[in-house]
Amino acid sequence: MGNWVQTWGQAHAALSFFYYPSCKKTFRLVIKSAVSGNALRIRFSNLYGKSEIKAGDVTAALCDEYGRFADSGFTAVTVNGSKHFTLKAGETIISDEIPFHAEAGSYFCISIYTESGDLSSGNLINNAQLITAKGNLTARRYIKNQPRIRDYVRKTASKILGMFLHKPIPLFETAELYNNEDAKAIAVFGDSISQQGFWTNEFEKRIAAEFPAKYSVINKSIMGNRILRDYSKRFICKGLFGASALNRLENNILIYPNTKYVVFALGTNDFLQYGTIVTPKSEKPSVEAICSAVQNITEQLHSKGIKVIVFTILYFGESMDCNKEKLSMLSEFNNWLRKNRNMFDGLYDQAELCKNPKKLYCTKKEFLGPDKLHPNTTGGKFIADNIDLNLFR
């Protein structure tokens, strides 16, 4: 008896400036599958969209890492029996199931042609390759990516802000395979520290090597995301930081029955954002309220049989938006997690592991990017390499 399991997925937020204006364009998503399957279904989302999207042809195909179809060609994907479908603002649609054989470790791609509508719901995530090109190229074996001006602006913004802003992936929400080997998903429920991929992608490699074909790692993280509150309406890029963890838990995690573990890595922005250009001082949280919310989320996950691995928050003592009050709250929250570790199925104290022994409440400089908040490649690999994989046995 088989089950549907996510082999790739993302949490949707409003793409804001990074959206794709209405155009006749093909979007090809190239995925490396961590699990095997003999059927495929795809979830498309316009959750944060403001306009109706008309989709033309959709195809799925085995391919190489560059999105070039294998010799077996492609399979047409339908929604309610039709090759064309419409996605209303705020709507999510699941495709029909199609026969599709994929082995763990192989690549496959999904190509969709959008006839009209602004694609403004998605995420900036980098664990899959997105190829974009004008015209309906869904049946073409190879597509050469056509950069847009916004991509150059995004790269410039990354340098100015000192953080990595990935190419946004719109419309796609999950790809699920029908698996007969009892494979499960590990969902990372986090913010930009996870969303940027510096530790999550390395963690995914370790999981695939240690538990081949058994687990997929699904990054359901959103930059700027908070546990208690949705994005602040004061922020110029409204919606980019997504709904709160409390409000997105159902749609991002609970509706997928084959999620076995959730890595909970949130809280940084609850403490760090208030009193900045993106969030007013009035949105200052209490540590007690955040702890209560984490307990609430953990209980909801446990009620579904999902195990919870919680991460302490990396120290941000040298971040531009830091102050003594925020550090005090961060320390209190981390200590609460440590004291209540029996509430969870595992605790990873990355804050203690990565701390700078010479500077209180700071992370080692060599582990952080230019903004002194987000891990760089060195820090990401260090974090991933020190996770005890016995937690996932």
Side-chain angles (χ1 to χ4, degrees):
M1 189 74 179
N3 291 287
W4 289 99
V5 61
Q6 297 175 84
T7 189
W8 177 86
Q10 65 175 1
H12 271 231
L15 289 178
S16 188
F17 168 81
F18 304 103
Y19 83 114
Y20 294 84
S22 181
C23 55
K24 299 181 182 296
K25 184 175 284 190
T26 296
F27 295 82
R28 176 168 293 177
L29 186 68
V30 183
I31 297 166
K32 184 178 182 180
S33 184
V35 299
S36 62
N38 53 30
L40 172 70
R41 68 183 184 190
I42 306 147
R43 187 181 297 258
F44 299 103
S45 180
N46 194 23
L47 183 63
Y48 289 92
K50 295 181 180 180
S51 65
E52 183 178 84
I53 297 171
K54 290 186 177 180
D57 296 329
V58 184
T59 63
L62 295 175
C63 65
D64 63 15
E65 61 183 306
Y66 304 105
R68 293 179 293 211
F69 291 173
D71 293 340
S72 54
F74 66 87
T75 302
V77 178
T78 59
V79 173
N80 295 324
S82 175
K83 290 184 178 181
H84 302 160
F85 63 93
T86 298
L87 208 57
K88 297 177 182 177
E91 186 178 21
T92 298
I93 288 178
I94 302 175
S95 75
D96 299 324
E97 303 166 11
I98 61 168
F100 192 83
H101 183 75
E103 294 289 342
S106 66
Y107 289 89
F108 70 91
C109 61
I110 305 161
S111 306
I112 182 169
Y113 172 62
T114 57
E115 296 180 341
S116 64
D118 294 337
L119 277 63
S120 54
S121 185
N123 202 335
L124 284 69
I125 204 160
N126 79 330
N127 57 5
Q129 181 187 4
L130 182 69
I131 301 168
T132 58
K134 292 182 179 179
N136 184 354
L137 308 178
T138 55
R140 183 171 293 185
R141 181 175 182 269
Y142 175 67
I143 300 176
K144 185 177 180 180
N145 184 66
Q146 298 174 359
R148 54 184 188 148
I149 294 175
R150 288 171 189 263
D151 290 332
Y152 299 111
V153 175
R154 172 177 52 82
K155 291 176 181 178
T156 301
S158 293
K159 293 179 181 178
I160 294 172
L161 297 173
M163 60 183 291
F164 192 22
L165 299 172
H166 301 299
K167 181 178 182 179
I169 299 176
L171 198 59
F172 299 97
E173 186 169 310
T174 59
E176 296 175 275
L177 289 171
Y178 194 77
N179 175 272
N180 291 298
E181 301 168 354
D182 197 33
K184 304 289 184 182
I186 300 170
V188 178
F189 199 46
D191 50 35
S192 58
I193 291 173
S194 305
Q195 177 244 9
Q196 289 192 5
F198 290 123
W199 76 261
T200 51
N201 291 348
E202 292 297 324
F203 171 65
E204 184 175 6
K205 292 176 185 177
R206 288 192 69 206
I207 288 290
E210 186 74 14
F211 309 104
K214 184 175 180 180
Y215 292 121
S216 58
V217 176
I218 311 298
N219 195 344
K220 295 295 181 78
S221 303
I222 299 174
M223 66 184 299
N225 200 233
R226 295 184 286 182
I227 298 171
L228 280 180
R229 293 178 180 269
D230 296 346
Y231 66 91
S232 175
K233 294 183 179 178
R234 167 178 167 175
F235 186 30
I236 189 171
C237 297
K238 290 182 174 63
L240 184 65
F241 291 170
S244 69
L246 283 169
N247 287 334
R248 69 184 180 94
L249 180 67
E250 175 70 25
N251 188 60
N252 289 171
I253 305 293
L254 297 181
I255 63 172
Y256 298 100
N258 270 358
T259 300
K260 187 170 183 178
Y261 295 93
V262 162
V263 175
F264 186 90
L266 282 157
T268 298
N269 295 298
D270 291 79
F271 299 120
L272 194 58
Q273 273 184 18
Y274 76 90
T276 67
I277 60 171
V278 300
T279 306
K281 288 183 179 179
S282 60
E283 294 191 12
K284 172 188 171 183
S286 71
V287 177
E288 293 79 8
I290 293 177
C291 294
S292 177
V294 172
Q295 183 172 354
N296 179 342
I297 290 170
T298 301
E299 289 172 352
Q300 288 190 62
L301 292 169
H302 281 164
S303 72
K304 296 290 186 179
I306 301 172
K307 296 184 178 183
V308 181
I309 312 299
V310 69
F311 280 29
T312 55
I313 300 174
L314 288 173
Y315 293 122
F316 48 65
E318 294 184 288
S319 169
M320 179 179 65
D321 294 322
C322 181
N323 59 38
K324 289 183 179 180
E325 181 182 58
K326 294 177 180 181
L327 286 175
S328 176
M329 296 170 72
L330 162 66
S331 179
E332 186 178 345
F333 177 68
N334 276 347
N335 285 334
W336 179 85
L337 292 177
R338 294 171 184 132
K339 290 176 183 177
N340 292 275
R341 64 173 64 229
N342 290 337
M343 181 187 300
F344 314 105
D345 301 280
L347 180 141
Y348 179 44
D349 199 347
Q350 61 171 350
E352 182 69 18
L353 192 66
C354 298
K355 73 177 182 180
N356 186 337
K358 298 180 180 180
K359 288 188 177 182
L360 189 63
Y361 302 137
C362 293
T363 296
K364 289 181 180 178
K365 185 178 180 180
E366 61 265 31
F367 289 164
L368 298 177
D371 65 354
K372 300 179 182 179
L373 174 65
H374 295 88
N376 55 21
T377 52
T378 301
K381 192 172 189 312
F382 181 84
I383 291 167
D385 286 350
N386 284 279
I387 297 171
D388 182 5
L389 296 189
N390 287 315
L391 292 169
F392 304 95
R393 296 190 189 281

